Amino acid sequence: MSRAGKRRRAREMAVQMLYQQEQGGASLDDVFASFDVADYLAETTVRKGEDESDEAAERRRDKARRAALRQAEAAFDYARRLVRGTVDHHDLLDAEIRRHAENWRLERMPAIDRNILRLAIYEMLHEEGVPHVVIVD
């Protein structure tokens, strides 16, 4: 997985965790502990060649699954960093959203949208080396 692919996957994980934290009020430690990278991977991975039944095909699939899990776990590390930073800067991020959101109160925005905006602004302001155009995309 490319560095950009890892970041994209980490952002997806981070949005899920931010949503869970906001909606459920759980601590970040609880959110991180309950996030199952293997389940996330199973839900987001497109399976190809599942109808192959020989042993060689099964070994290839197992090897690919193990590699994907290692990559997803690396993305999870970045996701935790993004979530922690977003939560730590929550008030500043919300102030920025309020400043730019015309005719929208933050509280009326859907929770997913709010958290995507918070995450994107956090990453733009605090994560060096990530082009802003990539974050917005």
Side-chain angles (χ1 to χ4, degrees), residues 23-24 32 39 41 53 56 58 66 106 126-127 132:
Q23 295 301 302
F32 296 151
D39 280 352
L41 193 60
S53 60
E58 186 60 34
R66 286 191 304 273
L106 186 65
H126 299 283
E127 292 293 322
H132 291 178

Side-chain angles (χ1 to χ4, degrees), residues 1 6 9 13 35-45 47 60-77:
M1 175 187 313
K6 178 181 126 181
R9 184 165 276 167
M13 291 177 186
F35 193 89
D36 189 323
V37 176
D39 280 352
Y40 164 83
L41 193 60
E43 291 173 4
T44 60
T45 302
R47 300 205 186 330
R60 284 192 302 276
R61 284 193 297 270
D62 285 344
K63 184 178 178 180
R65 285 183 196 120
R66 286 191 304 273
L69 184 57
R70 282 192 304 276
Q71 293 167 346
E73 287 170 348
F76 182 62
D77 290 339

Side-chain angles (χ1 to χ4, degrees), residues 9 17 21 31 37 48 50 56 71 89 96 123 127:
R9 184 165 276 167
M17 289 185 279
Q21 192 271 333
V31 170
V37 176
K48 296 179 184 171
E50 288 292 322
Q71 293 167 346
H89 294 87
E96 282 297 309
E123 200 169 8
E127 292 293 322

Side-chain angles (χ1 to χ4, degrees), residues 4-17:
K6 178 181 126 181
R7 286 182 181 155
R8 178 193 51 78
R9 184 165 276 167
R11 287 183 194 104
E12 290 172 359
M13 291 177 186
V15 168
Q16 288 182 11
M17 289 185 279

Side-chain angles (χ1 to χ4, degrees), residues 93-112:
L93 301 172
D94 281 2
E96 282 297 309
I97 294 169
R98 282 187 178 99
R99 192 164 67 95
H100 294 283
E102 295 180 17
N103 302 316
W104 274 96
R105 286 193 341 261
L106 186 65
E107 298 74 22
R108 295 225 26 203
M109 290 180 187
I112 291 292

